[in-house]
Each structure stands twice: as C-alpha cells, then as structure tokens.
C-alpha cells in the first residue's frame, strides 16, 4: 500500500492523470488557417483540453554542473551532463536503462535483422509515422512533488542525511508537471529533421490540400507535433501542414490514446491486480539498496518506495536540469532492474499481459489499414473518432506521408493490436528472462517512433538479400510487388518474427498483400467491445498472455 502513491505514479508514466481539465472557451483565433468552411478542425491556439501545464525551476547547469567526476575525463554537456560514473556500468549507459523515461536513443542492437538498401528501381510510396512526445516533467499522478516536499520538510526540521545522501541536505524539488522540457523539444525537432532527410521527397508539394498531421490536445502532445513539423518543414511549417489536435480526455474517442474510451482499461489500471507484479519486483530489486540508504537517512525510515522515487528523480532531473545527483546513488544493475520494472508495467498495462492491450491499440491499426488502402474508416467497433475519420478533411487518404503523435502506452498497445508477438514473451516477477525482447527503453523511449514504409518494387525482391550492389537484386520473371517495412527507433522490426504468414526475409519486410490479409483478423482478435465494456473479472499476472481477457 505504501507504493500506491509512487505507483499510481507509474500509471503515471502515461497520461492517466484524468486531471479534470476545464475546456477553455473556444474563440476563432487560429494559428493555422484551414481552407475549409464550417468547424475549424485545426485550431491549435488557444489550446483546448491542454491538461495540466506546470513549469518547473529554470536550469542553471553552468552553476550546478559538477563538470568533472573522479576517474572520468572531462565531457562537455551535450546538452545533458551524463558522464557521472556508475558502479558496474563498464561503459554502458544508464540512460538507456530507464524504460519509458530514457531520453531518445536509436535502437543500436536492433530487433533481430540487419538493415538493407533498396534495390535500384524500387520506391518508397508512403511513410506512416507514429511518434511519441519528447522528454517531459513527471505526470501529476506520480506524486514526486509530494516526495520532494517530504524530504524538504525533513531537512527543514533538522534531519541530517549522510554519505551518499548528504546532498539532500541542500536539495530542493523544482520539477514542473506534464509538459515538455527543453530536451523534449529538441528530440522532436531532431526527429522532424531526421524524417526530412529520410523522407523529404515524399512530401507532395502539388497536393490539393495541406498535409494533415494529427496529435492530441494535451499541451506536450501539441507542442511535440509543432516542434517536429518545425524540424521537418522549417518554422513556416503552417504553410505546408494543418495540425489536427484530437481531444484527449476521459470519455472521448481518440486513436492516439485509446484507453480513454475503454472503460475496462481504465478500471484495470486502477486495480491492485495490475499493481501486484510491479510492487513485487520493486520490493525484490530495491531491498538491499534501500537498507543501505536507510542508514544514511539520519533516522528517517527510508523505504523501497523512496528508493524508487529517487531513481525516477535521476531520470527527470537530468532531462529537466541537465544533471542529477540522484543517479549515482544506484549501480548499473539497479538501473537494469528499474527498466525491467517499467517493462512489466507496460506489458501489464498496455501490452500482451493486459486484458485490453489489443483493444486500446486497435483504432490506430484500423486507421493505418484504411489509409494504406486509400479509404475512410469504415469499421465501427474501435474507439477511433468516427466524426473525424469519415471526413476527408480530417482523415485524408491520399497522402504519401502520415504524421501521428501519441503516448508510450498507445504505441505499446498499437504494436499489441497489430500482433507483434515478438514482444509477447512473459516477464517473470523474479527478474528479467534471458530471452527478453520487450524492453520499453528500446521501444518507447521519449520521442520513440514507428516508421512504416510502403515499398513498391518492379519485381519481387529475394528473401535472401545480396550484400553490396543491389543492381541485380530481383527475382527473374516476377512482376511488381509491394512490401511493408516497419522501423522502430531506426531499426527494422522483422515481420517474420511475429507473423507466421510473413516468410523469413533478411530485410524483415513482408509482402503488403500478405500483411493486409493477416491484419484482416486483428479487429476480431482485439475483442474490442468485450475487452473494453464486457462483464469479466480481472485475473492475476501471468494469466493474460495475448492482450485480451483471459
Ligand atoms: C524511384 O526510385 C528511383 C531510384 O531508384 C528514382 O530514380 C525514381 O525517380 C523514383 N520514382 C519515383 C516515382 O519516385
Ligand atoms: C510539509 O510540512 C508542511 C508544514 O508543516 C505540511 O503542511 C505538509 O503537509 C508537509 N508535507 C509533506 C509531504 O509531508
Ligand atoms: C500529389 O498531389 C496531386 C494533386 O492532388 C495528385 O494528383 C498526385 O497524384 C499526388 N502525388 C502522389 C505521389 O501522391
Ligand atoms: C470527435 O471529435 C470531435 C471534434 O473534436 C468532437 O467534437 C467529438 O466530441 C469527438 N467525439 C467523440 C466520441 O470523442
Ligand atoms: C466512439 O467509440 C465507440 C466505441 O467505444 C463507438 O461505438 C462510437 O461509435 C464512437 N463514436 C464516435 C462518434 O466516434
Ligand atoms: C456480471 O457478471 C457477474 C458474474 O457472472 C454477475 O453476477 C453480474 O450480474 C453481471 N453484471 C452485469 C451488469 O451483467
């Protein structure tokens, strides 16, 4: 029960803070003029349903940066100072082991296949992006501000922390809530630039309408999209794109945050059954370090929940202020274990271990399938917003580029709804399995993203890809063939690893027709109506393995 506060914090990491948001009065002011009459779909200012927007203390890294660390040569901050020595790291980076709180980094190891060039004469005809927002302050539900106040109360009343915790004697809490930090703006701007280099030529400058990009109304989501578009097009992006903010609030249909129109998903996230495996693993991996820190707490009864909050503060202070003294309290193994806690959390909340894992992500899957096939959304048993998705103005189906912005939980659910069973392996509460593939830090770091390419080849491309020259890289006597290629944080997601219908290919692609045939079953498999509204009882961790009720 002690964890309840820090853990609903967990539920946290998402957006579950159904903070009562007062929709502001609508006005006719717009930043992006649309060419339509009727509703102004593309209003971005003033913001509606922006959620909590609390700013924190300004950083002053020039003053707070320790600059050098014992045994580490000088490393200029870039812009964060992350060169503090961590016991047991041996050159590994703890910021790659912070689950969904890892600042963006490309997935260096990949997901099981190498990368291959396109054979000459083959073209990418569409790219669909599902992009997470950037680094942010904690969610309201995480309770970190209360933790900070507690520590400041202790020191004000004379508690003297010692040894590694001595820095707390002069420490004060200064984080805001929910909104992007500067690093988060940078991550999205950088992603816009990266996507421009990768896909700029796909932008159709002779299109009859501006490109429609979609995000949610939440402040960090809106601003993530704007920073991305500024990176992709430049500061005059409103000349090229209309941004559609879809209402993010409990009870509203929104494919970019499917949980808000899925009652059972919301109920599950509040349930002690969902919390059980998370609490159990937390108690296990933080037991010893908690005993050590307790001795340095000047008589205060330092608990496992305090150790967990201290780890979260390392992640948040680093992206907010550029450096955090909390990081060095823990050794490298504690960071791997912390990341594993977040892996369990997302599997059970949004992934294959959640009874509504598929249901929460199916709306975006169906939207993707509709766009690939060039028609408005026709299926109704999802929680996509049908007002928007049956209108070509708000759901154009003739674009070559689709930019959608979403949350960590939505991206995990979307992968689940597609059926990426590569990530369905069980995550025991006793610790990480040797064959673990579901790593939230590799899948949904801040600004994590899925790029889905549709590829047209004049002939079939052989499953066994030649290295070097791709000039002769076609199967003789075959005709034009389309492929689909998924990239997750800049590495290929091999489709054969999750879909038995997709043949093994070196490049991890799948023939588009085959993939579309496989996806015909996804909607039924999600059991959307039953999973979100059914009268079923929740079952304990381990009983749900396919993202639907046990
Ligand atoms: C397809 O790709 C080739 C290069 O392989 C390029 O020359 C050609 O212009 C592209 N076609 C289209 C329609 O983009
Ligand atoms: C901190 O101290 C103030 C004043 O005594 C009190 O009102 C507040 O509840 C305390 N906060 C916490 C988190 O303990
Ligand atoms: C670009 O837009 C024009 C006008 O709407 C359309 O005719 C053309 O097919 C589009 N090009 C592509 C590659 O989609
Ligand atoms: C769908 O979106 C429109 C436009 O924002 C909004 O007015 C409507 O309430 C939404 N419908 C649902 C069911 O969320
Ligand atoms: C909203 O989603 C529900 C399913 O949760 C669906 O039945 C309904 O048609 C949707 N309404 C709109 C306007 O999108
Ligand atoms: C839900 O199921 C339980 C157990 O089967 C039953 O007692 C209850 O009446 C059902 N509730 C509704 C609203 O159908």
């Amino acid at each position: 029960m002690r964890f309840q506060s820090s853990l609903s914090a967990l539920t946290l990491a998402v957006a579950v803070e159904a903070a009562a948001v007062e929709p502001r009065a609508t006005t006719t002011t717009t930043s992006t003029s649309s060419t339509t009459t009727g509703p102004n779909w593309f209003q971005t200012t003033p913001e509606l349903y922006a959620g909590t927007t609390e700013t924190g203390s300004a950083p002053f890294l020039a003053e707070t940066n320790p600059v050098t660390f014992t045994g580490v040569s000088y490393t200029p901050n870039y812009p964060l100072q992350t060169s503090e020595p961590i016991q047991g790291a041996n050159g590994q980076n703890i910021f790659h082991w912070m689950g969904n709180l890892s600042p963006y980094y490309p997935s260096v190891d990949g997901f099981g296949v190498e990368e291959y060039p396109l054979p000459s004469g083959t073209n990418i005809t569409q790219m669909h992006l599902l992009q997470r927002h950037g680094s942010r302050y904690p969610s309201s539900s995480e309770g970190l501000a209360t933790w900070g106040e507690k520590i400041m109360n202790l020191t004000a009343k004379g508690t003297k922390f010692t040894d590694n915790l001595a820095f707390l004697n002069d420490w004060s809490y200064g984080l805001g809530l929910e909104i992007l930090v500067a690093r988060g703006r940078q991550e999205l701007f950088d992603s816009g630039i990266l996507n421009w280099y990768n896909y700029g030529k796909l932008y159709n400058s002779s299109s009859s309408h501006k490109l429609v990009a979609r995000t949610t109304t939440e402040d960090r989501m809106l601003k993530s999209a704007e920073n991305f578009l500024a990176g992709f097009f430049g500061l005059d992006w409103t000349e090229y794109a209309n941004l559609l903010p879809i209402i993010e609030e409990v009870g509203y249909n929104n494919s970019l945050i499917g949980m808000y129109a899925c009652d059972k998903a919301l109920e599950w996230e509040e349930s002690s059954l969902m919390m059980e495996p998370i609490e159990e693993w937390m108690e296990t991996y933080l037991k010893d370090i908690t005993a050590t820190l307790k001795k340095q707490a000047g008589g205060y009864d330092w608990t496992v929940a305090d150790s967990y909050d201290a780890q979260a503060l390392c992640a948040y202070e680093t992206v907010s202020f550029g450096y955090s003294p909390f990081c060095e309290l823990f050794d490298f193994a504690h960071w791997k274990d912390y990341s594993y806690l977040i892996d369990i959390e997302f599997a059970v909340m949004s992934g294959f271990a959640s009874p509504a894992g598929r249901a929460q992500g199916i709306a975006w899957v169906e939207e993707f399938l509709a766009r690939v096939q060039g028609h408005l959304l026709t299926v109704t048993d999802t929680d996509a917003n049908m007002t928007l998705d049956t209108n070509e103005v708000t759901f154009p189906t003739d674009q070559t580029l689709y930019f959608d912005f979403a949350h960590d939980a939505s991206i995990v659910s979307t992968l689940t709804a597609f059926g990426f069973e590569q990530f369905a392996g069980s995550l025991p509460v006793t610790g990480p399995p040797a064959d673990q593939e579901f790593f939230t830090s590799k899948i949904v770091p801040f600004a994590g993203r899925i790029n889905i390419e549709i590829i047209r080849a004049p002939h079939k491309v052989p499953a066994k890809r030649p290295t070097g020259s791709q000039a002769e890289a076609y199967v003789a006597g075959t005709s034009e063939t389309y492929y689909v290629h998924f990239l997750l944080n800049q590495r290929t997601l091999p489709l054969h690893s999750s879909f038995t219908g997709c043949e093994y290919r070196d490049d991890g692609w799948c023939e588009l027709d085959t993939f579309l045939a496989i996806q015909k079953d996804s909607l039924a498999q999600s059991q959307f109506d039953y999973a979100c509204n059914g009268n079923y009882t929740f079952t304990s961790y381990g009983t749900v393995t396919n993202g639907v009720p046990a």
Side-chain angles (χ1 to χ4, degrees):
M1 280 303 105
R2 273 216 85 101
F3 308 131
Q4 229 43 359
S5 71
S6 81
L7 277 176
S8 42
L10 275 179
T11 307
L12 55 138
V14 203
V16 180
E17 67 282 345
V21 187
E22 294 286 321
R24 292 190 228 159
T26 11
T27 82
T28 52
T29 320
T30 62
S31 69
T32 53
S33 58
S34 83
T35 52
T36 59
T37 54
N40 176 22
W41 302 111
F42 306 113
Q43 174 173 327
T44 54
T45 179
E47 293 178 68
L48 300 170
Y49 298 95
T52 303
T53 58
E54 187 177 316
T55 196
S57 317
F60 201 176
L61 196 53
E63 194 171 275
T64 58
N65 194 347
V67 181
T68 55
F69 299 91
T70 314
V72 179
S73 53
Y74 174 68
T75 313
N77 56 302
Y78 185 68
L80 312 178
Q81 171 56 270
T82 57
S83 62
E84 58 268 60
I86 302 295
Q87 265 194 32
N90 297 321
Q92 300 168 92
N93 186 344
I94 61 167
F95 295 92
H96 296 181
W97 292 97
M98 294 185 181
N100 66 325
L101 305 186
S102 304
Y104 183 74
Y105 70 105
S107 170
V108 246
D109 305 335
F111 298 96
V113 287
E114 296 303 326
E115 307 304 319
Y116 289 84
L118 290 191
S120 57
T122 288
N123 295 90
I124 297 173
T125 59
Q126 284 179 3
M127 193 284 288
H128 303 251
L129 173 71
L130 187 61
Q131 162 80 55
R132 187 187 176 204
H133 62 75
S135 293
R136 56 158 167 79
Y137 288 126
S139 303
S140 311
S141 56
E142 285 175 86
L144 288 176
T146 307
W147 189 82
E149 191 180 293
K150 179 175 71 182
I151 298 296
M152 292 189 290
N153 277 357
L154 287 170
T155 51
K157 295 209 182 92
T159 298
K160 284 270 171 281
F161 290 94
T162 59
D163 304 289
N164 292 348
L165 287 181
F167 75 91
L168 286 176
N169 296 324
D170 310 308
W171 173 84
S172 61
Y173 183 83
L175 301 172
L177 288 172
E178 305 283 351
I179 58 177
L180 291 182
V181 295
R183 173 65 175 170
R185 297 203 300 272
Q186 179 187 31
E187 286 162 336
L188 267 292
F189 185 75
D190 285 353
S191 179
I193 289 175
L194 178 76
N195 276 280
W196 171 257
Y197 278 107
N198 286 342
Y199 302 108
K201 203 152 197 170
L202 273 183
Y203 172 67
N204 188 350
S205 55
S206 53
S207 172
S208 50
H209 58 83
K210 289 185 188 178
L211 182 91
V212 174
R214 305 187 311 166
T215 186
T216 81
T217 51
E218 197 194 28
D219 185 79
R220 69 170 175 271
M221 292 295 304
L222 187 73
K223 288 174 179 165
S224 288
E226 290 173 334
N227 277 287
F228 176 95
L229 292 168
F232 191 89
F233 290 112
L235 290 176
D236 56 349
W237 64 266
T238 58
E239 300 294 316
Y240 308 100
N242 276 324
L243 183 57
L244 176 70
I246 304 176
I247 298 171
E248 171 167 343
E249 184 56 272
V250 170
Y252 283 91
N253 290 21
N254 189 337
S255 58
L256 305 174
I257 177 154
M259 77 175 74
Y260 277 179
C262 181
D263 289 349
K264 281 298 240 186
L266 292 170
E267 197 186 312
W268 172 238
E269 277 153 31
E270 301 280 299
S271 74
S272 54
L273 273 178
M274 195 202 90
M275 277 332 210
E276 255 171 27
I278 301 170
E279 293 178 4
E280 191 175 333
W281 174 240
M282 185 188 285
E283 285 284 0
T284 304
Y285 89 89
L286 287 171
K287 186 163 180 275
D288 291 353
I289 183 68
T290 297
T292 304
L293 293 175
K294 186 173 173 171
K295 291 190 197 122
Q296 305 174 4
Y300 164 67
D301 183 20
W302 184 279
T303 64
V304 158
D306 292 319
S307 298
Y308 180 78
D309 285 344
Q311 287 196 288
L313 276 163
C314 157
Y316 284 123
E317 285 195 340
T318 300
V319 295
S320 303
F321 304 136
Y323 167 74
S324 173
F326 284 98
C327 303
E328 284 172 83
L329 294 176
F330 304 93
D331 63 27
F332 190 73
H334 295 127
W335 289 109
K336 288 187 88 163
D337 290 345
Y338 173 77
S339 223
Y340 186 63
L341 180 142
I342 298 174
D343 301 339
I344 294 176
E345 180 203 343
F346 274 84
V348 76
M349 182 173 69
S350 319
F352 285 98
S354 161
R358 284 176 183 256
Q360 294 172 76
I362 193 63
W364 197 86
V365 170
E366 294 303 319
E367 288 178 340
F368 164 78
L369 298 173
R371 285 160 158 180
V372 171
Q373 294 166 97
H375 60 74
L376 295 168
L377 196 64
T378 50
V379 301
T380 50
D381 38 354
T382 79
D383 58 12
N385 183 316
M386 294 306 280
T387 308
L388 301 173
D389 285 8
T390 54
N391 181 345
E392 279 285 349
V393 173
T394 46
F395 193 76
T397 57
D398 61 348
Q399 296 187 169
T400 41
L401 287 170
Y402 292 95
F403 297 149
D404 283 349
F405 299 84
H407 290 277
D408 44 15
S410 346
I411 294 175
V412 169
S413 294
T414 300
L415 289 169
T416 308
F418 269 120
F420 276 93
E421 290 176 7
Q422 172 171 12
F423 298 129
S426 71
L427 302 177
V429 289
T430 46
D435 60 354
Q436 184 179 351
E437 299 213 41
F438 183 76
F439 294 100
T440 42
S441 59
K442 277 177 78 173
I443 298 170
V444 283
F446 283 127
R449 78 253 353 207
I450 305 173
N451 291 88
I452 310 174
E453 298 173 348
I454 305 299
I455 295 171
R456 181 183 57 216
H459 309 279
K460 282 190 193 294
V461 177
K464 181 108 196 78
R465 297 289 305 272
T467 51
S469 165
Q470 302 287 314
E472 305 295 326
Y474 293 109
V475 180
T478 58
S479 56
E480 183 179 83
T481 306
Y482 281 78
Y483 295 91
V484 58
H485 178 204
F486 275 67
L487 294 117
L488 183 52
N489 302 324
Q490 302 177 248
R491 290 302 306 266
T492 295
L493 263 183
L495 295 169
H496 56 250
S497 297
S498 292
F499 306 101
T500 47
C502 295
E503 64 170 346
Y504 173 90
R505 293 186 57 88
D506 287 346
D507 52 25
W509 308 352
C510 185
E511 286 191 22
L512 182 62
D513 286 348
T514 307
F515 189 74
L516 293 178
I518 292 167
Q519 291 302 327
K520 279 207 169 79
D521 289 338
S522 288
L523 183 60
Q525 279 198 56
S526 75
Q527 301 182 29
F528 175 81
D529 190 42
Y530 182 64
C532 288
N533 307 306
N535 182 14
Y536 61 91
T537 46
F538 295 135
T539 54
S540 58
Y541 186 61
T543 54
V544 170
T545 55
N546 195 24
V548 292

